[in-house]
Amino acid sequence: MSPFVSQRSKKNSQNCKIIVSSYVNGSTPSSEDLGHLVAKMQSTGADILKVVTTATNITDVSHIFKLIPHCQVPIIACVMGDRGLISQLLGPKFGGYLIYGSIGSGKDLIPGQPKLADLINIYKIGRLTRDTKVFGVIANPVGHSKGPILHNQAFRETGFNGVYVPLLVDDLSDFLKVYSAPDFAGFSVGIPHKEAAVKCCDEVQPLAKSIGAVNTIVRRKSDGKLVGYNTDCEGAISAIEDGLRGESGYKSSESSSPLAGKLFVLVGAGGAGRALAFGAKQRGARVVITNRNFERAKALANAVGGEAIPMEALERFCPETGMVLANTSAVGMQPNVDSTPLPKEAMEPYSLVFDAVYTPRETRLLREAKEAGKIVVSGLEMFIRQAIGQYELFTGNLAPTELMRKIVIRDF
Ligand code: NAP
């Protein structure tokens, strides 16, 4: 290769550029080995370099991000595989010469290669600069996340120089250690990392600590420390409060909560259940919890000073009227759309019914609650509000709430 490159005539070199390429199958070399490889490729006199490696872990991509700025000639760098996707989504930020987008879809997509349409429409790749702050959703699996559609549009609407990408992470602690530069400014945390995130943050907001789950991590500008929050809790509780107040728009909470003194009946004791139990307790509600696994219901009831009742007792549970029912169990979620945690006939004592499930948008529980004349609050409303909370933590600015609401209703 080298003699060929060096034997080009001056005339030819103006008309024709030479790319020297290297493909590392099955792995990504260490930063040091990549440095040696690129030095050797540069010594051929190439006009452009192309390095393709394979990611076994998302942390592999960091070797490429470190390499690109030190390369003396333009470099095309691509890390193949699902875990290498950010090599393309963030390549221009780190100075990559060009990136790949696929015109295929579904099965035709090459793992790790983004769709061309997404690069253009969602990530607006041409707008990335070295100063662009990186945000993303950490989850496994992560491909289904609609976060990039929502947050990237919101950043653009407010003129915030940020990009939000899917991050397929196996080990949260390793990921956070490797991507520790100020450029990696904040993360949404999804299944299965919400509990591990409590331990991985330098500081955790007290409510998130009590809940035992962090769904938002922000790198504090002043000292680079990672601070953990839980916006699921405020998202759900404020939606229920506004439902009780007869409001539909997003408003900051008033001094006294309409939940104060109410009986709050919670179905489910998983991550979402814990967020709602602590949130309702904080607002002064009396919390009653039921769950398929009764031991979990009892443990959560103990943690919030509430009461646990067995699932079989829920239909007959009627100590007073005007209660709030909140489903945070997966009952009613696709594909089991005909299931419901409480039949219509047993809804009489409730004034408001909330369902955290948002696939489908209107669950059987919510449809029947509406038919029964109850106030209904959907999981989509919780989703919108938790995302608004994340946006404000990420940017320090007020979120474009109407736009975010419109995107979720239109695209989700
Ligand atoms: P999780 O931690 O895995 O908890 C799942 C809960 O559902 C547990 O209480 C579990 O009971 C219960 N459950 C599962 N299958 C059941 C069944 N067949 N019958 C009765 N109970 C069942 O999950 P999560 O994060 O709390 O999520 C729960 C639901 O909330 C999901 O549908 C999720 O999509 C939704 N969610 C919505 C939002 C939003 O923004 N709207 C946010 C977070 C979650 P056991 O303890 O007995 O297993």
Side-chain angles (χ1 to χ4, degrees), residues 22-41:
S22 173
Y23 177 50
V24 184
N25 191 12
S27 68
T28 299
S30 67
S31 293
E32 201 185 353
D33 288 348
L34 271 176
H36 293 317
L37 174 69
V38 162
K40 203 166 148 193
M41 292 165 77

PDB file of all heavy atoms in Angstrom, residues 22-41:
ATOM      1  N   SER A  22      -8.435   0.056   7.617  1.00  0.00           N
ATOM      2  CA  SER A  22      -8.125  -1.119   8.428  1.00  0.00           C
ATOM      3  C   SER A  22      -9.396  -1.609   9.110  1.00  0.00           C
ATOM      4  O   SER A  22     -10.179  -0.804   9.640  1.00  0.00           O
ATOM      5  CB  SER A  22      -7.080  -0.743   9.493  1.00  0.00           C
ATOM      6  OG  SER A  22      -6.908  -1.818  10.370  1.00  0.00           O
ATOM      7  N   TYR A  23      -9.596  -2.907   9.090  1.00  0.00           N
ATOM      8  CA  TYR A  23     -10.808  -3.487   9.676  1.00  0.00           C
ATOM      9  C   TYR A  23     -10.407  -4.469  10.765  1.00  0.00           C
ATOM     10  O   TYR A  23      -9.680  -5.428  10.503  1.00  0.00           O
ATOM     11  CB  TYR A  23     -11.606  -4.185   8.569  1.00  0.00           C
ATOM     12  CG  TYR A  23     -12.846  -4.884   9.049  1.00  0.00           C
ATOM     13  CD1 TYR A  23     -13.761  -4.224   9.866  1.00  0.00           C
ATOM     14  CD2 TYR A  23     -13.111  -6.198   8.694  1.00  0.00           C
ATOM     15  CE1 TYR A  23     -14.905  -4.859  10.312  1.00  0.00           C
ATOM     16  CE2 TYR A  23     -14.252  -6.844   9.132  1.00  0.00           C
ATOM     17  CZ  TYR A  23     -15.148  -6.178   9.935  1.00  0.00           C
ATOM     18  OH  TYR A  23     -16.277  -6.810  10.379  1.00  0.00           O
ATOM     19  N   VAL A  24     -10.838  -4.220  11.977  1.00  0.00           N
ATOM     20  CA  VAL A  24     -10.530  -5.131  13.089  1.00  0.00           C
ATOM     21  C   VAL A  24     -11.809  -5.899  13.418  1.00  0.00           C
ATOM     22  O   VAL A  24     -12.768  -5.319  13.926  1.00  0.00           O
ATOM     23  CB  VAL A  24     -10.044  -4.356  14.335  1.00  0.00           C
ATOM     24  CG1 VAL A  24      -9.646  -5.333  15.443  1.00  0.00           C
ATOM     25  CG2 VAL A  24      -8.897  -3.433  13.985  1.00  0.00           C
ATOM     26  N   ASN A  25     -11.809  -7.156  13.112  1.00  0.00           N
ATOM     27  CA  ASN A  25     -13.027  -7.951  13.282  1.00  0.00           C
ATOM     28  C   ASN A  25     -13.147  -8.484  14.715  1.00  0.00           C
ATOM     29  O   ASN A  25     -12.175  -8.989  15.263  1.00  0.00           O
ATOM     30  CB  ASN A  25     -12.985  -9.131  12.293  1.00  0.00           C
ATOM     31  CG  ASN A  25     -14.320  -9.838  12.225  1.00  0.00           C
ATOM     32  OD1 ASN A  25     -15.318  -9.338  12.732  1.00  0.00           O
ATOM     33  ND2 ASN A  25     -14.328 -11.001  11.602  1.00  0.00           N
ATOM     34  N   GLY A  26     -14.285  -8.321  15.312  1.00  0.00           N
ATOM     35  CA  GLY A  26     -14.581  -8.996  16.590  1.00  0.00           C
ATOM     36  C   GLY A  26     -14.170  -8.247  17.844  1.00  0.00           C
ATOM     37  O   GLY A  26     -14.526  -8.651  18.943  1.00  0.00           O
ATOM     38  N   SER A  27     -13.417  -7.169  17.715  1.00  0.00           N
ATOM     39  CA  SER A  27     -13.023  -6.436  18.930  1.00  0.00           C
ATOM     40  C   SER A  27     -12.618  -5.007  18.572  1.00  0.00           C
ATOM     41  O   SER A  27     -12.545  -4.647  17.399  1.00  0.00           O
ATOM     42  CB  SER A  27     -11.844  -7.134  19.620  1.00  0.00           C
ATOM     43  OG  SER A  27     -10.701  -7.014  18.809  1.00  0.00           O
ATOM     44  N   THR A  28     -12.343  -4.231  19.606  1.00  0.00           N
ATOM     45  CA  THR A  28     -11.778  -2.889  19.422  1.00  0.00           C
ATOM     46  C   THR A  28     -10.465  -2.858  20.205  1.00  0.00           C
ATOM     47  O   THR A  28     -10.462  -3.114  21.416  1.00  0.00           O
ATOM     48  CB  THR A  28     -12.735  -1.808  19.967  1.00  0.00           C
ATOM     49  OG1 THR A  28     -13.957  -1.899  19.243  1.00  0.00           O
ATOM     50  CG2 THR A  28     -12.156  -0.412  19.788  1.00  0.00           C
ATOM     51  N   PRO A  29      -9.348  -2.589  19.540  1.00  0.00           N
ATOM     52  CA  PRO A  29      -8.075  -2.549  20.264  1.00  0.00           C
ATOM     53  C   PRO A  29      -8.066  -1.471  21.353  1.00  0.00           C
ATOM     54  O   PRO A  29      -8.878  -0.540  21.305  1.00  0.00           O
ATOM     55  CB  PRO A  29      -7.056  -2.222  19.166  1.00  0.00           C
ATOM     56  CG  PRO A  29      -7.730  -2.535  17.876  1.00  0.00           C
ATOM     57  CD  PRO A  29      -9.194  -2.311  18.104  1.00  0.00           C
ATOM     58  N   SER A  30      -7.113  -1.580  22.261  1.00  0.00           N
ATOM     59  CA  SER A  30      -6.966  -0.561  23.308  1.00  0.00           C
ATOM     60  C   SER A  30      -6.589   0.760  22.652  1.00  0.00           C
ATOM     61  O   SER A  30      -6.134   0.789  21.494  1.00  0.00           O
ATOM     62  CB  SER A  30      -5.853  -0.979  24.276  1.00  0.00           C
ATOM     63  OG  SER A  30      -4.620  -0.954  23.586  1.00  0.00           O
ATOM     64  N   SER A  31      -6.717   1.853  23.412  1.00  0.00           N
ATOM     65  CA  SER A  31      -6.374   3.178  22.875  1.00  0.00           C
ATOM     66  C   SER A  31      -4.933   3.187  22.379  1.00  0.00           C
ATOM     67  O   SER A  31      -4.621   3.747  21.324  1.00  0.00           O
ATOM     68  CB  SER A  31      -6.531   4.237  23.956  1.00  0.00           C
ATOM     69  OG  SER A  31      -7.879   4.354  24.293  1.00  0.00           O
ATOM     70  N   GLU A  32      -4.041   2.530  23.148  1.00  0.00           N
ATOM     71  CA  GLU A  32      -2.619   2.533  22.785  1.00  0.00           C
ATOM     72  C   GLU A  32      -2.404   1.799  21.450  1.00  0.00           C
ATOM     73  O   GLU A  32      -1.738   2.307  20.546  1.00  0.00           O
ATOM     74  CB  GLU A  32      -1.847   1.835  23.905  1.00  0.00           C
ATOM     75  CG  GLU A  32      -0.402   2.198  23.919  1.00  0.00           C
ATOM     76  CD  GLU A  32       0.356   1.400  24.965  1.00  0.00           C
ATOM     77  OE1 GLU A  32      -0.278   0.659  25.755  1.00  0.00           O
ATOM     78  OE2 GLU A  32       1.589   1.518  24.957  1.00  0.00           O
ATOM     79  N   ASP A  33      -3.009   0.604  21.331  1.00  0.00           N
ATOM     80  CA  ASP A  33      -2.836  -0.177  20.099  1.00  0.00           C
ATOM     81  C   ASP A  33      -3.455   0.537  18.899  1.00  0.00           C
ATOM     82  O   ASP A  33      -2.909   0.500  17.796  1.00  0.00           O
ATOM     83  CB  ASP A  33      -3.465  -1.572  20.255  1.00  0.00           C
ATOM     84  CG  ASP A  33      -2.633  -2.444  21.200  1.00  0.00           C
ATOM     85  OD1 ASP A  33      -1.495  -2.024  21.508  1.00  0.00           O
ATOM     86  OD2 ASP A  33      -3.117  -3.505  21.628  1.00  0.00           O
ATOM     87  N   LEU A  34      -4.600   1.198  19.137  1.00  0.00           N
ATOM     88  CA  LEU A  34      -5.219   1.953  18.035  1.00  0.00           C
ATOM     89  C   LEU A  34      -4.300   3.094  17.594  1.00  0.00           C
ATOM     90  O   LEU A  34      -4.168   3.381  16.410  1.00  0.00           O
ATOM     91  CB  LEU A  34      -6.563   2.540  18.475  1.00  0.00           C
ATOM     92  CG  LEU A  34      -7.797   1.663  18.287  1.00  0.00           C
ATOM     93  CD1 LEU A  34      -9.021   2.369  18.855  1.00  0.00           C
ATOM     94  CD2 LEU A  34      -8.025   1.317  16.817  1.00  0.00           C
ATOM     95  N   GLY A  35      -3.660   3.724  18.586  1.00  0.00           N
ATOM     96  CA  GLY A  35      -2.715   4.818  18.292  1.00  0.00           C
ATOM     97  C   GLY A  35      -1.600   4.317  17.380  1.00  0.00           C
ATOM     98  O   GLY A  35      -1.255   4.972  16.387  1.00  0.00           O
ATOM     99  N   HIS A  36      -1.039   3.137  17.693  1.00  0.00           N
ATOM    100  CA  HIS A  36       0.043   2.567  16.868  1.00  0.00           C
ATOM    101  C   HIS A  36      -0.457   2.269  15.457  1.00  0.00           C
ATOM    102  O   HIS A  36       0.207   2.559  14.471  1.00  0.00           O
ATOM    103  CB  HIS A  36       0.580   1.268  17.485  1.00  0.00           C
ATOM    104  CG  HIS A  36       1.293   1.499  18.793  1.00  0.00           C
ATOM    105  ND1 HIS A  36       2.162   2.535  18.979  1.00  0.00           N
ATOM    106  CD2 HIS A  36       1.251   0.822  19.971  1.00  0.00           C
ATOM    107  CE1 HIS A  36       2.633   2.507  20.222  1.00  0.00           C
ATOM    108  NE2 HIS A  36       2.079   1.470  20.847  1.00  0.00           N
ATOM    109  N   LEU A  37      -1.660   1.683  15.400  1.00  0.00           N
ATOM    110  CA  LEU A  37      -2.239   1.309  14.103  1.00  0.00           C
ATOM    111  C   LEU A  37      -2.405   2.553  13.219  1.00  0.00           C
ATOM    112  O   LEU A  37      -2.019   2.558  12.046  1.00  0.00           O
ATOM    113  CB  LEU A  37      -3.592   0.616  14.326  1.00  0.00           C
ATOM    114  CG  LEU A  37      -4.403   0.282  13.081  1.00  0.00           C
ATOM    115  CD1 LEU A  37      -3.721  -0.822  12.265  1.00  0.00           C
ATOM    116  CD2 LEU A  37      -5.817  -0.183  13.460  1.00  0.00           C
ATOM    117  N   VAL A  38      -2.951   3.591  13.814  1.00  0.00           N
ATOM    118  CA  VAL A  38      -3.222   4.807  13.040  1.00  0.00           C
ATOM    119  C   VAL A  38      -1.908   5.487  12.618  1.00  0.00           C
ATOM    120  O   VAL A  38      -1.795   5.990  11.492  1.00  0.00           O
ATOM    121  CB  VAL A  38      -4.144   5.750  13.851  1.00  0.00           C
ATOM    122  CG1 VAL A  38      -4.107   7.155  13.319  1.00  0.00           C
ATOM    123  CG2 VAL A  38      -5.571   5.223  13.797  1.00  0.00           C
ATOM    124  N   ALA A  39      -0.906   5.440  13.492  1.00  0.00           N
ATOM    125  CA  ALA A  39       0.393   6.038  13.129  1.00  0.00           C
ATOM    126  C   ALA A  39       0.953   5.321  11.900  1.00  0.00           C
ATOM    127  O   ALA A  39       1.462   5.950  10.966  1.00  0.00           O
ATOM    128  CB  ALA A  39       1.350   5.927  14.307  1.00  0.00           C
ATOM    129  N   LYS A  40       0.819   3.975  11.894  1.00  0.00           N
ATOM    130  CA  LYS A  40       1.321   3.196  10.761  1.00  0.00           C
ATOM    131  C   LYS A  40       0.543   3.547   9.486  1.00  0.00           C
ATOM    132  O   LYS A  40       1.113   3.704   8.419  1.00  0.00           O
ATOM    133  CB  LYS A  40       1.113   1.709  11.095  1.00  0.00           C
ATOM    134  CG  LYS A  40       2.007   0.781  10.348  1.00  0.00           C
ATOM    135  CD  LYS A  40       1.927  -0.578  11.025  1.00  0.00           C
ATOM    136  CE  LYS A  40       2.096  -1.694  10.022  1.00  0.00           C
ATOM    137  NZ  LYS A  40       1.718  -2.975  10.588  1.00  0.00           N
ATOM    138  N   MET A  41      -0.762   3.698   9.625  1.00  0.00           N
ATOM    139  CA  MET A  41      -1.593   4.027   8.464  1.00  0.00           C
ATOM    140  C   MET A  41      -1.259   5.432   7.948  1.00  0.00           C
ATOM    141  O   MET A  41      -1.180   5.655   6.744  1.00  0.00           O
ATOM    142  CB  MET A  41      -3.088   3.933   8.837  1.00  0.00           C
ATOM    143  CG  MET A  41      -3.543   2.511   9.115  1.00  0.00           C
ATOM    144  SD  MET A  41      -5.143   2.461   9.947  1.00  0.00           S
ATOM    145  CE  MET A  41      -6.264   2.813   8.605  1.00  0.00           C
TER     146      MET A  41
END
